[in-house]
Amino acid sequence: LAYTTAFMEALTISSFPYYSFEDRYMAYTLGSAFYAIYLVVSFPMFARVDEVPGERPFTLLQTAMESLGSCMLIITLLDLVRLSLGVPLCMAGKMLELKLN
């Protein structure tokens, strides 16, 4: 379900004129697989936090803890996939340059 949702979202935005993909095949397959990691974690979390009639609703603190835990799990899963593929962690850009004057 997560991969199908991610793939369909990539497919539907591809016709939007302001989106372009350098490699459509990679965007549809690999991009959808990485996006599916987000959905694999978030679908059950949303179902858990969703209010069910007759049950006590989640407090703001419980909701925040579920959200933060889900975010950490997503980051961990993305990093595990990155490590298993052997992709080095490269961070570059002007924000990371330290200029001492």
Side-chain angles (χ1 to χ4, degrees), residues 4-44:
T4 303
T5 303
F7 180 81
M8 292 307 293
E9 186 170 332
L11 189 62
T12 56
I13 66 167
S14 68
S15 63
F16 191 67
Y18 300 108
Y19 282 97
S20 64
F21 299 114
E22 189 173 312
D23 184 353
R24 285 190 182 276
Y25 178 77
M26 288 291 279
Y28 292 151
T29 55
L30 192 59
S32 295
F34 274 92
Y35 186 48
I37 292 173
Y38 288 86
L39 300 176
V40 161
V41 174
S42 64
F43 281 167

Side-chain angles (χ1 to χ4, degrees), residues 83-95:
L83 291 171
S84 69
L85 294 174
V87 177
L89 179 62
C90 298
M91 296 170 57
K94 296 208 181 266
M95 287 181 58

Side-chain angles (χ1 to χ4, degrees), residues 34-59:
F34 274 92
Y35 186 48
I37 292 173
Y38 288 86
L39 300 176
V40 161
V41 174
S42 64
F43 281 167
M45 192 274 295
F46 286 129
R48 180 172 154 72
V49 174
D50 192 21
E51 294 180 11
V52 177
E55 288 188 14
R56 187 172 163 207
F58 272 53
T59 64

